């Protein structure tokens, strides 16, 4: 019918995206139990925590302790987020983190300043340092994120050229160093994307780096997340970041009404892919159990759907 | 890019779908105020209530009083649901209802019994009576619903032929009476549809009645509602039932975990259409205000997204 991929990969971001935005810090044992429940579902990659300023994000101050508390499952990578050299060195020092060589680019000055305390150009220059550091340490460069690639609550509309310029610059930087660029992720950090724009921007970036896989980091801020995933699938995209139970949202994204800024919901999207005949390599029922555990830990109803309605497994049998 | 329509129509079902499933009956004045807020957004059709058994659905016992309490806006039709002759006669007797000549077909025995207390075949035969009654009263036949057209929690998978058989039968019945069939709606009453199945079933029904408009009544039970709307838009579908704030869900649908069975959310889908450049004829900001009013009336956080995040109107300006 269309150009859907035969398999997809969801990288779980709930533990980091979800708990960083909560006003309280939840017990470490609860967070470790959630991560273990997530890995039991077969997720291949889980972002456990961020190594960022404990002053800015106190919920993530115990990132190293959390890594130590996880029961690691073979076949699952346990990754972390860092935004600067200091964070990367803390992640390295932790020794428990599966270090994925990632790069990050901004598209608007106000969000670059607010999230990373530097200008768009400064962040870009810093990526040369990250690149060289990864190469020196033997960490393969794995992916680059273009943040707020569809629009920004603080900076407004983001022209396509703001995205493609960063990608072109990075392609040159990688070529200079003779390292491949395996994947480019477009992040809809604040839920501005719509399905046709997903197609347009994925297509435009793919023209620049046809050899790289395209990935998407999507938020379901305005109820269009599922449609955006479907549009991406139609473009053959097979890498997605997502959050169990729809947890998450960036604390610095500046939404006007506070709520509903979560990532696309892992189990809902796994459900959709399964229904579409696309292999996600996930035990959906186990993932739903993890989502319900997340709800019990957070202590309020979360935005995931399948966790409340149940999948169709029992009824279809 | 694709075959998207230039305009769409959302028919609001929140007042009926939303309040029928709540355990308590909310004050009539609140419900009337919500309907007035909805009409102020420019919605062309609002289903106000159902004329069904007050024993089965006590929340709808005051349907006539509710119709009397609305401030009617020119340009908005105020419709109602009925499931049998008795309900239709009550709707007629109310004299405030914009009577739309609609027909209803089931696809599975258990849901037909549970929702309508008759078999699939009996319901179909009854539609001949409804048809003749509409014709006798000068009410144009407007649309036919195929209920649980994608699957049924009680009856399991629904083969495509169960849908197309009903449509073919109806086409013959209309031809016999020389009345046109302007629209056929496929109802995903329990959230079984996925985007490719939307395309397949819309395409199959359209082959049988190419002259009829296709409509969809979708529930976002499993988080795939938005993707289903986008798939339908790609098929050129321009008629959708939806609920403000994502209210709703059928009390007899038999979901295992109770929650998240609501209809697709009107303001989220209007937002998506606007972003896609599709005219919905709605003042989105006014609709968001109506959604927030619904949340205040219901007294708990509802599942709509744009009502919590805000639209992009202010940021894009």
């Amino acid at each position: 019918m269309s150009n859907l991929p035969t398999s997809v990969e969801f990288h779980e971001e709930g533990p980091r995206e979800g708990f960083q935005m909560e006003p309280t810090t939840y017990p470490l044992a609860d967070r470790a139990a959630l991560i273990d429940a997530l890995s039991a579902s077969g997720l291949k990659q889980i972002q456990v925590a961020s190594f960022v300023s404990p002053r800015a994000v106190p919920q993530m101050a115990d990132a190293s302790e959390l890594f130590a508390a996880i029961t690691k499952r073979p076949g699952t990578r346990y990754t972390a987020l860092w935004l600067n050299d200091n964070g990367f060195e803390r992640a390295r020092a932790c020794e428990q983190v599966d270090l994925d060589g990632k790069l990050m680019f901004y598209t608007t000055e106000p969000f670059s300043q607010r999230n990373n305390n530097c200008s768009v150009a400064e962040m870009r220059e810093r990526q040369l340092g990250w690149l060289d550091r990864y190469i020196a340490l033997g960490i393969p460069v794995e992916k680059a994120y273009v943040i707020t690639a569809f629009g920004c609550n603080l900076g407004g509309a983001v022209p396509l050229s703001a995205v493609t310029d960063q990608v072109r610059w990075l392609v040159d930087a990688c070529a200079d160093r003779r390292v491949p660029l395996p994947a480019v992720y477009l992040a809809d950090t604040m839920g501005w994307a719509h399905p046709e724009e997903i197609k347009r921007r994925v297509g435009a970036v793919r023209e620049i780096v046809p050899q790289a896989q395209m990935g998407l980091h999507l938020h379901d801020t305005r109820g269009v997340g599922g449609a955006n995933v479907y549009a991406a699938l139609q473009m053959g995209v097979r890498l997605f970041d997502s959050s169990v139970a729809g947890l998450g949202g960036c604390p610095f994204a500046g939404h006007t009404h506070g709520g509903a800024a979560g990532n696309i919901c892992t189990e809902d999207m796994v459900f959709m892919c399964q229904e579409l005949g696309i292999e996600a390599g996930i035990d959906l029922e186990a993932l739903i159990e993890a989502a319900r555990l997340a709800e019990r830990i957070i202590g309020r109803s979360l935005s995931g759907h399948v966790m409340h309605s149940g999948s169709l497994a029992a009824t279809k049998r």
Side-chain angles (χ1 to χ4, degrees), chain A residues 118-141:
Chain A
C118 66
S119 74
V120 169
E122 281 164 345
M123 188 67 180
R124 176 154 124 171
E125 284 307 311
R126 288 182 192 176
Q127 299 312 296
L128 293 181
W130 293 31
L131 250 177
D132 291 333
R133 190 103 183 87
Y134 295 153
I135 293 168
L137 291 166
I139 299 170
V141 174

Side-chain angles (χ1 to χ4, degrees), chain A residues 150 188 192-199 224 227-228 231:
Chain A
F150 295 88
D188 185 25
W192 280 57
H194 64 74
E196 297 285 305
E197 200 60 28
I198 293 275
K199 291 181 175 176
V224 187
N228 288 340

